[in-house]
Amino acid sequence: MARIVDLSVSIEEDLKDPLPFSIRFETHEEGAEFGAKLVGVTPDDFPERKGLAGEFLTLTSHAGTHVDAPWHYWPTSEGKPSRTIDELPLEWFFNDGVVLDFTDKPQGFTLTVEDIQEKLRQIDYELKPYDIVMIRSDADKKRYQPNYSEIHVGVSAEATLWLIEQGIKVMGTDGWGWDTPLSIQAQDYKQNPRPGVLWAAHFAGREKEYCQIEKLANLDQLPAFGFKVSVFPVKIRGGSAGWTRAVAIID
């Protein structure tokens, strides 16, 4: 049987994510109150006054492990209206996976084209169209630490475009974001204000259409290649992203 590896982080309040998020758990007793109103009975009509438990979440579509759509980056891509998460072909999101291990780089490092190419040489792998390329920095191991959003290895705009030129449509990271951490971007920009510094890799989507997965996990449990990845995004009409239960399937 195939082995399935969970590549997702939980949607939970304990995750040290600067994006706003809250969750309220509805108890079985509250479920009985709500259910009684729905069907016109009383809570006493349910066994032991217990109904169905539930949750109420307030969160962005970029919470937890998620797939960014081209619309997230810019209103247009390749000179056409950018596609939203519900408009993208499902064939993009189930393909061969490739893990590039950059745990040897310091936190906040920005990967160049040469870094990507050298890593591919090290693992003796040639990218093919529609591979799902994932950057490992093991930032997910520190997702409960206050600086979680600032410790991952980022990818440059040039490296992002190079991957797209190899036919890669979906790429991901186990860090909080695909770009270099925001504090490093901001420091760079403040020291030398100029266009193309802030969210540079995201804005690469203006030139070439692609999707990125953020907040992956457990990439250390995977080989460099030789497995399938499933990252189907939740279908949010007009959405800039969709949550995904990302998994790897190893025969």
Side-chain angles (χ1 to χ4, degrees), residues 178-192:
W178 180 253
D179 277 271
T180 306
L182 288 177
S183 61
I184 297 175
Q185 295 179 49
Q187 183 180 18
D188 184 11
Y189 183 80
K190 290 172 182 176
Q191 290 175 348
N192 182 17

Side-chain angles (χ1 to χ4, degrees), residues 60-62 66-75 82-85 179 199 202-203 205 210 212 214 238-241:
T60 167
S61 59
H62 300 266
H66 65 277
V67 179
D68 286 342
W71 175 254
H72 179 52
Y73 318 132
W74 199 255
S82 293
R83 290 196 277 187
T84 53
I85 200 66
D179 277 271
W199 282 294
H202 276 68
F203 287 140
Y210 82 106
Q212 62 190 34
E214 294 176 325
S240 65

Side-chain angles (χ1 to χ4, degrees), residues 27-47:
T27 66
H28 293 91
E29 290 74 17
E30 290 173 319
E33 296 282 347
F34 180 68
K37 293 177 182 177
L38 276 182
V39 297
V41 297
T42 72
D44 290 319
D45 294 314
F46 292 97

Side-chain angles (χ1 to χ4, degrees), residues 12 16-17 181:
E12 56 175 311
K16 296 304 181 183
D17 192 328

Side-chain angles (χ1 to χ4, degrees), residues 190-209:
K190 290 172 182 176
Q191 290 175 348
N192 182 17
R194 63 200 187 281
V197 175
L198 302 175
W199 282 294
H202 276 68
F203 287 140
R206 298 170 63 179
E207 298 179 44
K208 299 289 184 181
E209 187 180 52

